[in-house]
């Protein structure tokens, strides 16, 4: 009986953990993919990698102290921002027992009228978060595998 109770509780905990990480949402409207960014703006797409490491974590993206949204496992975020240099912060949030989020910060220096793609993941050997710039083909392929974010 003790083993059955333990397995039931373990299964419930796993289901709750996986269901919490599933949703991708964005706090601002997603730009029209059929219309490129204005000449003084650049567009950023960000998505999780397909790796297994860190799948239970959601990734919050923050630019200029504003939360862009959170990435679940199967979504992407897309937003426009003024051309030039800015800092993007990615926080990989885990379970409460996991402690504070794993963070990566990367500088972004975008040209007006251009689109940029980033893949976010947790490095399996160092357990640190990584943001990797992708070329246009690689970025479009990654985004094509992902779902449009829910707007909040």
């Amino acid at each position: 009986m003790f083993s059955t109770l333990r397995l039931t509780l373990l299964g419930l905990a796993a289901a709750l953990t996986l269901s919490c990480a599933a949703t991708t949402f964005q706090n601002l409207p997603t730009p029209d993919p059929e219309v490129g960014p204005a000449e003084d703006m650049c567009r950023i797409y960000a998505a999780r990698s397909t790796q297994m490491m860190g799948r239970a974590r959601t990734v919050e993206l923050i630019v200029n102290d504003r939360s862009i949204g959170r990435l679940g496992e199967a979504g992407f975020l897309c937003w426009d921002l003024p051309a030039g240099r800015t800092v993007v912060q990615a926080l990989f949030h885990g379970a409460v027992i996991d402690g504070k989020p794993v963070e990566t910060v990367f500088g972004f220096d975008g040209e007006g009228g251009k689109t940029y793609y980033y893949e976010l993941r947790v490095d399996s050997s160092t357990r640190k978060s990584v943001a990797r710039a992708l070329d246009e083909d690689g970025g479009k392929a990654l985004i094509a595998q992902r779902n449009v974010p829910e707007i909040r």
Side-chain angles (χ1 to χ4, degrees):
M1 179 151 146
F2 181 69
S3 294
T4 304
L5 178 60
R6 184 185 303 169
L7 286 174
T8 302
L9 290 174
L10 200 59
L12 180 60
L16 288 173
T17 300
L18 292 175
S19 67
C20 292
T23 303
T24 295
F25 67 86
Q26 188 161 310
N27 297 321
L28 55 154
T30 304
D32 183 349
E34 300 298 318
V35 179
E39 288 302 314
D40 61 340
M41 303 290 280
C42 50
R43 181 162 297 160
I44 297 181
Y45 283 91
R48 303 278 306 267
S49 74
T50 56
Q51 77 177 93
M52 292 293 290
M53 180 77 169
R55 283 179 96 176
R57 294 178 179 268
T58 58
V59 182
E60 180 181 15
L61 290 174
I62 300 169
V63 178
N64 299 327
D65 296 323
R66 181 176 184 191
S67 177
I68 302 299
R70 283 193 182 211
L71 285 167
E73 183 180 335
F76 68 86
L77 298 179
C78 176
W79 70 99
D80 287 349
L81 73 159
R85 185 139 180 87
T86 192
V87 175
V88 178
Q89 179 183 23
L91 299 173
F92 286 70
H93 295 279
V96 175
I97 60 172
D98 206 8
K100 62 183 185 175
V102 177
E103 176 185 34
T104 190
V105 176
F106 60 97
F108 173 76
D109 192 8
E111 287 184 49
K114 293 199 173 186
T115 300
Y116 299 86
Y117 300 88
Y118 285 90
E119 175 188 62
L120 304 168
R121 63 183 180 83
V122 175
D123 184 275
S124 58
S125 61
T126 63
R127 302 184 71 83
K128 293 186 178 185
S129 57
V130 176
R132 182 173 70 112
L134 300 175
D135 63 22
E136 186 175 3
D137 290 339
K140 285 182 176 181
L142 181 63
I143 297 305
Q145 300 170 12
R146 301 289 185 260
N147 301 320
V148 176
E150 172 186 319
I151 304 300
R152 290 194 177 171

